[in-house]
Amino acid sequence: MPRHPPRRRLTAALLLLCFVGPLSTDMYLPAFPRMAAELRTDASGVQLTLTAFLVGMVLGHLVLGPLSDRYGRRVPLLAGAALCTGATALCALAPGLGPLIALRLAAGFSGAAGVVVGRAVVADVATGAAAARLLGVLMTLAGLAPVLAPLAGGAVIGTVGWRGVFWALAGVSLLALAGVVVAVPETLPPERRRTGGRGTFLRTVRAVAGDRAYTGYALAFSFAFGALFCHVAGSPFLLQNVLGLGVGASSLVFSGGALVLALSGAVAARLVGRVAPERLLRRGLRAAGAALALLAAAGAGALTLTTYLPLVTVFCGGLGLVLANAASLAVARVPDAAGTGSALLGTAQSAVGAVVAPLAGLGGAGSAVPAFTGMAVCGGVAVLAARGAER
């Protein structure tokens, strides 16, 4: 099958699939303090629902990515979107923290299909700068989800409570399922599929992971995402309990950072073909790293809103350059195993996010130090990994 630029309908369907993950993690963030009170738990307990979703994403990447290399892209996408819709709807009915964590795990597993198989579809239909540009466009537009999610979540929570958020998320997942049915054809023909059992899969994994440049870029992407998730998990408590903002104001501040992230991704997509992705990656890491170091120092002292806002703006701006370019550089290293390469990339991403999310609350609901420290550590690892990849 010849490679060709994707049509607008396919791009729109892939975008809907990209929306599911960020909405599922960000839309219910403003409700964390209320959920902790209603479910009779603490900050880390509520953050475990976020960790469970990310652990599910890890498992989903490991299973669904290689399956898509063997059986094609369309069936895993359809099954994943359908199961994610059902699991998310059941989250709205969860009677307690335990069932909610289990259902979030299932939603993360099935929702991983949209991310891992969606990236593989991009690799099927585009190469080189075209693939990097498409990934940048998708990440930029998907970046609107974190901008809108806390605002929409705050509105829903204020009207019908936090359970209404999961009904809304189920509706988005159902819309993504419809998009796959209508607009996503099979992009991996039988002659390009990988055959064989577990042995073949393990050999493919070893070959992909053995590419040192791939591993470096994948780790840079994953730990940059880890820094972002420390920010995501800690910001509701930081903004409301430390800086004293209300639900609406904290949602607005969080959305502003997400907007900067999306705009930075848009700049990265526009510059692809004129500026080397490696150069954009380096610039993004420098900006984000400097902001993280200053945030960690500020968090240990007297943090104020006037200190927090500009530093988070720089952090999100640099991160937008990092995420788009690190992902495209990693997947470009393994074009003949795009599904497995995307799976390992997403596995590392979700695993790091799952670990750091509950750590952001270890200092309690009134401390910013753990979240900022975790962000700085993740940023440092991302810098080292990117340097290793360039070598």
Side-chain angles (χ1 to χ4, degrees), residues 35-367:
M35 290 175 65
E38 182 175 330
L39 297 174
R40 298 180 181 179
T41 184
D42 56 12
S44 289
V46 175
Q47 285 162 346
L48 280 175
T49 65
L50 189 58
T51 294
F53 185 84
L54 293 172
V55 170
M57 291 282 283
V58 170
L59 299 175
H61 277 83
L62 287 173
V63 173
L64 300 173
L67 281 179
S68 76
D69 278 341
R70 185 174 182 182
Y71 297 108
R73 314 299 190 202
R74 186 169 165 83
V75 171
L77 280 176
L78 289 169
L83 290 173
C84 186
T85 300
T88 304
L90 290 175
C91 285
L93 304 173
L97 181 63
L100 181 59
I101 289 174
L103 288 167
R104 290 287 282 168
L105 180 71
F109 177 88
S110 51
V115 181
V116 64
V117 185
R119 272 198 296 252
V121 168
V122 172
D124 291 338
V125 300
T127 57
R133 188 175 297 109
L134 177 57
L135 280 173
V137 168
L138 288 175
M139 292 186 69
T140 298
L141 294 176
L144 295 176
V147 176
L148 300 174
L151 296 176
V156 172
I157 293 160
T159 305
V160 294
W162 63 267
R163 294 181 185 273
V165 172
F166 290 105
W167 287 118
L169 289 173
V172 173
S173 187
L174 183 62
L175 188 60
L177 172 61
V180 175
V181 172
V182 172
V184 182
E186 180 55 68
T187 60
L188 187 68
E191 62 270 17
R192 287 181 51 208
R193 297 177 189 176
R194 290 182 172 266
T195 58
R198 183 168 55 185
T200 300
F201 164 66
L202 293 176
R203 284 192 296 272
T204 303
V205 169
R206 283 196 296 268
V208 171
D211 187 307
R212 293 186 179 183
Y214 167 87
T215 301
Y217 289 129
L219 288 175
F221 174 83
S222 301
F223 278 91
F225 181 82
L228 176 63
F229 243 78
C230 279
H231 168 60
V232 167
S235 62
F237 296 100
L238 186 153
L239 292 171
Q240 294 179 41
N241 296 341
V242 177
L243 298 179
L245 300 181
V247 173
S250 64
S251 298
L252 187 62
V253 170
F254 185 84
S255 296
L259 179 60
V260 172
L261 185 69
L263 292 175
S264 178
V267 171
R270 292 281 293 177
L271 291 176
V272 167
R274 288 180 286 174
V275 182
E278 295 86 350
R279 189 176 178 185
L280 292 173
L281 176 61
R282 286 195 298 270
R283 289 181 177 179
L285 284 170
R286 289 191 193 114
L292 286 175
L294 292 172
L295 276 171
L303 183 69
T304 64
L305 192 61
T306 54
T307 303
Y308 175 79
L309 287 178
L311 291 178
V312 166
T313 299
V314 175
F315 163 67
C316 291
L319 207 62
L321 296 178
V322 173
L323 294 175
N325 289 285
S328 63
L329 286 167
V331 177
R333 295 288 306 183
V334 288
D336 294 328
T340 302
S342 180
L344 294 180
L345 181 67
T347 297
Q349 168 194 3
S350 298
V352 172
V355 170
V356 303
L359 296 181
L362 286 182
S367 175

